[in-house]
Amino acid sequence: MDKASRALAEDLPEGIPNTLAARAAHTNVPLTTLSHRRRGRRSIEAKADSQRYLTPHEANAVVEFLLQQKAFGQPVRMKHMPSIAFSATRNRPLADRPLKPPGPNWAKAFERHRPELVAKKNRPQDWNR
């Protein structure tokens, strides 16, 4: 629960009127944010969570698979990652399952957000020590 939702849910102390302006001043939350939450608008974080292609559990499974393939000496090419992610969503209920694999830029963004997937570059040894 974000700060604005908590500010709307908690009771105000005695002597403070039950208005959005007074609640915003008391809880140090912007008035417009409180107004949006009261009308049902989600926070930016909640919206971002709902727009992710994979759930955290599925993302961990995909990362585990990719690291395992890399350890076996068969690294997975970037162009195959969307189909692997699409396969990971097969355990969801039919209503929650995506209809198609993620877009072409999804794999690079997924790699950027998961630092364990990025290969470490070996620096050449300095022979003139």
Side-chain angles (χ1 to χ4, degrees):
M1 185 180 265
D2 64 340
K3 190 175 178 182
S5 299
R6 268 188 268 120
L8 286 172
E10 69 184 19
D11 293 330
L12 290 173
E14 287 292 323
I16 297 178
N18 192 13
T19 63
L20 280 182
R23 196 175 286 271
H26 176 69
T27 58
N28 200 20
V29 175
L31 177 63
T32 55
T33 304
L34 288 178
S35 174
H36 291 319
R37 289 297 175 287
R38 181 174 274 179
R39 290 187 181 115
R41 186 184 293 184
R42 297 180 293 177
S43 67
I44 293 172
E45 293 83 14
K47 183 180 177 191
D49 286 342
S50 71
Q51 289 178 341
R52 288 203 176 109
Y53 189 80
L54 295 175
T55 63
H57 180 70
E58 293 168 347
N60 289 339
V62 168
V63 167
E64 207 172 288
F65 173 75
L66 295 172
L67 291 176
Q68 185 179 29
Q69 290 298 104
K70 188 176 178 181
F72 287 152
Q74 297 291 327
V76 177
R77 292 183 64 182
M78 180 94 56
K79 73 178 196 175
H80 299 299
M81 284 178 60
S83 62
I84 293 169
F86 186 59
S87 299
T89 62
R90 290 293 172 196
N91 292 330
R92 289 188 201 171
L94 194 58
D96 295 337
R97 195 178 302 164
L99 299 176
K100 56 186 179 179
N105 297 329
W106 177 86
K108 189 66 177 173
F110 185 73
E111 185 182 51
R112 219 176 312 129
H113 291 284
R114 303 297 285 224
E116 60 267 23
L117 293 178
V118 179
K120 293 189 170 97
K121 295 185 173 128
N122 293 331
R123 300 175 86 193
Q125 187 175 6
D126 183 20
W127 292 99
N128 301 324
R129 289 190 240 174

